């Protein structure tokens, strides 16, 4: 438990952060599933990594589009570890979907088109007067999420950069 967030299960992780299914808990029994990306112990105290994670939160919070995983909160837990709260996309990543076998050509076209809609929005987003757009720089099958309802969303803008106008 981290304040108003209750961790349910670990989804996965990498060398510097881990992702959990969690619930945001509110007044009068309100709750909603979210995904929480939390920095591993020690990395929140590393100024270089902490600044990179803060930059990810700042960049990603500006991206409001149906094909991009939305960010709803950014904070530190009781242990001082940085964490990012995101919408929960209930489904599979493209890597897991492709592992099930060949996908029908119309499905492939749909998945690519939807992912490109999100990336196109990010690329055209005004950042400042001298910067225009955000480049993902790590688009890969595990960073494209597909919900059980068919929504396609790009995630993990951790190494994204703003591009010059």
């Amino acid at each position: 438990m981290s304040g108003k967030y209750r961790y349910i299960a670990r989804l996965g992780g990498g060398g510097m952060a881990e992702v959990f299914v969690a619930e945001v808990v509110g007044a009068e029994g309100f709750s909603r599933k979210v995904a929480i990306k939390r920095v591993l112990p020690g990395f929140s105290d590393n100024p270089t990594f902490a600044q990179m994670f803060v930059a990810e939160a700042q960049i990603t919070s500006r991206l409001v589009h149906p094909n991009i995983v939305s960010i709803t909160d950014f904070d530190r837990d009781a242990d001082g570890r940085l964490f990012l709260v995101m919408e929960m996309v209930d489904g599979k990543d493209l890597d897991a979907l492709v592992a099930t076998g060949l996908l029908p050509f119309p499905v492939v076209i749909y998945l690519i088109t939807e992912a490109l809609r999100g990336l196109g929005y990010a690329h055209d987003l005004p950042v400042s007067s001298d910067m225009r757009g955000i480049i993902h720089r790590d688009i890969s099958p595990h960073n494209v999420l597909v919900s059980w309802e068919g929504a396609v969303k790009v995630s993990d803008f951790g190494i994204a950069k703003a591009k010059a106008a």
Side-chain angles (χ1 to χ4, degrees):
M1 185 90 161
S2 178
K4 62 184 175 182
Y5 300 104
R6 184 172 62 89
Y7 292 87
I8 298 171
R10 187 176 187 272
L11 282 174
M16 295 179 263
E18 54 193 341
V19 179
F20 295 88
V21 175
E23 280 185 325
V24 59
V25 180
E28 305 300 326
F30 172 85
S31 69
R32 181 178 185 162
K33 277 190 179 177
V34 294
I36 295 181
K37 181 178 183 180
R38 183 176 69 181
V39 174
L40 291 172
F43 283 99
S44 288
D45 299 329
N46 175 325
T48 302
F49 179 78
Q51 182 52 44
M52 188 173 75
F53 201 69
V54 168
E56 176 182 358
Q58 291 171 337
I59 287 172
T60 311
S61 70
R62 299 191 55 180
L63 300 172
V64 180
H65 188 273
N67 297 109
I68 295 177
V69 173
S70 64
I71 302 302
T72 59
D73 198 4
F74 180 70
D75 208 341
R76 287 186 184 267
D77 65 14
D79 297 325
R81 291 197 282 174
L82 294 166
F83 67 92
L84 194 61
V85 181
M86 306 170 280
E87 76 174 289
M88 179 64 200
V89 179
D90 192 18
K92 292 183 175 262
D93 66 30
L94 190 53
D95 201 29
L97 189 60
V98 168
T100 65
L102 289 176
L103 300 174
F105 191 67
V107 172
V108 172
I109 296 298
Y110 172 76
L111 296 170
I112 291 170
T113 301
E114 294 298 294
L116 288 175
R117 287 182 204 276
L119 291 170
Y121 169 81
H123 287 193
D124 292 337
L125 181 74
V127 177
S128 66
S129 60
D130 60 338
M131 302 296 260
R132 178 150 189 100
I134 296 167
I135 299 175
H136 190 284
R137 297 188 342 147
D138 188 25
I139 195 66
S140 61
H142 69 273
N143 287 334
V144 177
L145 308 179
V146 183
S147 77
W148 298 121
E149 292 79 25
V152 178
K153 296 182 177 259
V154 177
S155 69
D156 198 355
F157 282 76
I159 61 171
K161 294 283 185 194
K163 62 181 181 173

